[in-house]
Amino acid sequence: MSQVPLSQISASQISASQVAPPSNFRTDDDARSTRELIIAESLRCFAEAGYNGTSLNDIAAGVGIRRPSLLHHFASKEALYGEVFERLLADWLERLEVAVADQALGWAKVELVLNAGFRLFEDTPDYVRMMRREALDGGTHLGIDLAAVLRPLFDAASAYFDAQMDAGVFKRHNSRHLLITGYGAILTYFSDAAFIDGLIDDEALTKEHIAEHRDHVLSFFKSALID
Amino acid sequence: MSQVPLSQISASQISASQVAPPSNFRTDDDARSTRELIIAESLRCFAEAGYNGTSLNDIAAGVGIRRPSLLHHFASKEALYGEVFERLLADWLERLEVAVADQALGWAKVELVLNAGFRLFEDTPDYVRMMRREALDGGTHLGIDLAAVLRPLFDAASAYFDAQMDAGVFKRHNSRHLLITGYGAILTYFSDAAFIDGLIDDEALTKEHIAEHRDHVLSFFKSALID
DNA sequence: CGCACTACCTACTGGTCGGTAGGTATTCTG
DNA sequence: CAGAATACCTACCGACCAGTAGGTAGTGCG
């Protein structure tokens, strides 16, 4: 690092203007909060416009600081994106594992997990869109291999369905394809909300409409799995 | 212009300019084909990396020409994107309407349309990813309002399901939510193929695996709609 | 031949990108 | 109170972006 050629340092750089003393200084308490503000705004922007469609200036402006100040808190754009994404994964895994760990069996457990998913997505719609973009790009945008992280959950769910089908609790389906179908059915409603708004008369992502869609997905899956 | 010091013009430069006479000249027949090549490569790039992630240089390089030559065929990047997208829509609507116009009734018609969708998506996976990105961005990236174009088809399909449910052919579900669920279940398999590859042992988007998923979706929906 | 036309090129413009250098207030700490 | 640390700033960099200017081969037609 820092082996910048001396030739790049010009005299004009030294004569920086002292005209604008912004005075928007932050205390230590606020410092943590600035970091959080940046992460929150980044999530919003990355979900809305994607990685390439979001500039550090956009994020900085949303927070109310300049780009270099943002880069004081995060080493690079990729590092910032990575931190937002890691937080996404951690939040999701934590909340999903609570539902997965539940001792319920049969349809009750499926309903439990689906409900947890809906609640989770309802709380974090920006996460959903960001995840969708990540899946579209192959899930390997950064160091994290999204599929590899979710694979254990996926395998466990698949085994659960297979066991319940063997036991005759559920009608027979291909469990892995069933999971892919389910994940697509649920995620799409949240990721494509802006598009779906144009297909229906109500507005998607309102509390009422989410509940409507959740009820539909639950009854639809129940209808396909239970006699 | 051309105020380059004579001293900088080396013999190698002069020879270089004559060593590479591009010679990739195209006749009138090829001219149309260059346009097609550009559209094909654009589709590939826009599907792979999105609008913001694709530069005109990327596309031009894929075709084997320079960016200004590309802009000789299309007025701007947006115009190019628009033409690719319009072609997408036209292709889809044409092929879907054949299936929709069929006189089949009950489950046979659903199977017909689903099969047409699968065949369509299998033939044009790049279209699917581009569409997905468009839906993520709200479907109003350019002048075209994606949802408005599809709305008539959506309404007709919804009315069909309602009628069949009223007649007792299908079990009762909310038809509009059913369509959203269905579109998500099918589209996701194609749009997120790279991610799904990491969740399963087989490779998605092979002929065999697509058939497997189609069979699953058909039997799953049949299971949910028919007693 | 002369002239318009097409398809391509190199070389450039203005602007934006991510990132860096270096400075300045303010606060914490010894 | 001195010095380190923090959080912000302006001014800059090189790279890349979409798009333009202007030139040059080759083609078709009078």
Side-chain angles (χ1 to χ4, degrees):
Chain A
M1 316 277 155
S2 77
Q3 62 278 63
V4 176
L6 288 176
S7 63
Q8 286 187 9
I9 300 176
S10 70
S12 61
Q13 277 182 298
I14 296 169
S15 66
S17 76
Q18 294 125 344
V19 217
S23 86
N24 47 348
F25 186 82
R26 295 178 182 284
T27 71
D28 271 10
D29 281 344
D30 294 332
R32 235 198 337 257
S33 139
T34 294
R35 236 188 107 86
E36 293 303 313
L37 280 175
I38 292 172
I39 288 187
E41 180 66 16
S42 301
L43 171 61
R44 221 181 53 77
C45 291
F46 286 140
E48 180 67 27
Y51 186 83
N52 284 316
T54 300
S55 81
L56 293 184
N57 277 324
D58 295 337
I59 299 170
V63 175
I65 59 175
R66 312 282 159 176
R67 179 169 26 88
S69 309
L70 189 155
L71 287 165
H72 165 72
H73 294 279
F74 298 90
S76 69
K77 186 183 183 181
E78 263 201 16
L80 172 56
Y81 184 86
E83 189 148 334
V84 172
F85 193 75
E86 271 179 38
R87 192 169 294 211
L88 181 168
L89 265 187
D91 282 8
W92 277 20
L93 289 181
E94 187 188 343
R95 290 182 61 163
L96 271 186
E97 268 160 16
V98 170
V100 169
D102 196 285
Q103 294 298 322
L105 279 176
W107 174 253
K109 175 135 188 176
V110 175
E111 191 162 325
L112 206 86
V113 173
L114 285 180
N115 268 318
F118 265 96
R119 234 178 298 119
L120 177 54
F121 292 166
E122 183 174 354
D123 289 347
T124 60
D126 282 339
Y127 277 169
V128 179
R129 299 176 70 193
M130 203 170 146
M131 179 72 96
R132 199 27 131 199
R133 294 184 187 278
E134 204 55 38
L136 250 176
D137 294 339
T140 173
H141 221 230
L142 17 75
I144 312 166
D145 182 352
L146 184 53
V149 174
L150 297 178
R151 181 83 193 236
L153 272 178
F154 185 83
D155 288 341
S158 171
Y160 175 79
F161 275 111
D162 281 336
Q164 299 285 300
M165 288 176 201
D166 288 344
V169 177
F170 295 149
K171 283 192 269 184
R172 175 66 61 186
H173 292 285
N174 181 313
S175 65
R176 308 187 89 76
H177 284 281
L178 173 66
L179 285 169
I180 293 172
T181 298
Y183 124 71
I186 301 172
L187 219 68
T188 292
Y189 174 76
F190 290 92
S191 71
D192 294 12
F195 166 66
I196 291 173
D197 268 351
L199 287 180
I200 59 177
D201 293 318
D202 310 321
E203 193 180 343
L205 291 202
T206 57
K207 256 200 167 0
E208 293 77 16
H209 202 267
I210 292 176
E212 227 179 277
H213 193 67
R214 185 194 56 230
D215 291 346
H216 165 262
V217 169
L218 284 172
S219 83
F220 186 71
F221 273 66
K222 192 171 187 176
S223 193
L225 287 172
I226 312 271
D227 274 327
Chain B
M1 315 288 138
S2 75
Q3 61 279 63
V4 177
L6 288 176
S7 62
Q8 285 188 12
I9 299 180
S10 67
S12 65
Q13 275 183 301
I14 294 170
S15 61
S17 65
Q18 284 154 352
V19 165
S23 84
N24 46 347
F25 186 82
R26 296 178 181 285
T27 71
D28 273 9
D29 281 344
D30 293 333
R32 239 200 333 259
S33 138
T34 294
R35 235 185 108 86
E36 293 304 312
L37 280 176
I38 292 172
I39 288 186
E41 180 66 16
S42 300
L43 170 60
R44 222 182 53 77
C45 290
F46 286 140
E48 179 67 26
Y51 185 84
N52 284 315
T54 300
S55 82
L56 293 184
N57 277 325
D58 295 337
I59 299 170
V63 176
I65 58 175
R66 311 285 157 171
R67 178 169 27 86
S69 309
L70 188 155
L71 287 165
H72 165 73
H73 294 278
F74 297 89
S76 68
K77 186 183 182 181
E78 264 201 14
L80 172 56
Y81 184 85
E83 188 146 333
V84 172
F85 193 74
E86 271 179 37
R87 192 168 293 213
L88 181 169
L89 265 188
D91 283 8
W92 277 20
L93 289 181
E94 188 189 342
R95 290 182 62 164
L96 270 186
E97 269 160 15
V98 170
V100 168
D102 197 284
Q103 293 298 321
L105 280 175
W107 173 254
K109 176 135 186 177
V110 175
E111 190 161 326
L112 206 84
V113 173
L114 285 179
N115 268 317
F118 265 96
R119 232 178 300 118
L120 177 53
F121 293 166
E122 182 175 353
D123 288 349
T124 59
D126 282 339
Y127 277 168
V128 179
R129 300 175 70 191
M130 201 170 147
M131 180 72 95
R132 211 3 144 209
R133 293 183 188 277
E134 204 56 37
L136 251 176
D137 294 340
T140 174
H141 222 229
L142 18 76
I144 312 166
D145 182 350
L146 183 53
V149 174
L150 297 178
R151 181 81 192 238
L153 273 179
F154 186 82
D155 287 341
S158 170
Y160 175 80
F161 275 111
D162 282 335
Q164 299 286 299
M165 288 177 201
D166 287 343
V169 177
F170 294 150
K171 283 192 269 184
R172 177 66 61 187
H173 291 286
N174 180 314
S175 64
R176 308 188 89 77
H177 285 282
L178 173 65
L179 284 169
I180 294 173
T181 298
Y183 124 70
I186 301 171
L187 219 70
T188 293
Y189 173 76
F190 289 92
S191 72
D192 294 11
F195 166 66
I196 291 174
D197 268 350
L199 286 180
I200 59 178
D201 292 319
D202 310 321
E203 191 179 345
L205 291 201
T206 57
K207 256 198 167 1
E208 292 77 16
H209 203 268
I210 292 176
E212 226 179 277
H213 192 67
R214 185 193 57 230
D215 291 345
H216 165 262
V217 169
L218 282 173
S219 84
F220 185 72
F221 273 66
K222 192 171 187 177
S223 192
L225 287 172
I226 313 269
D227 273 328

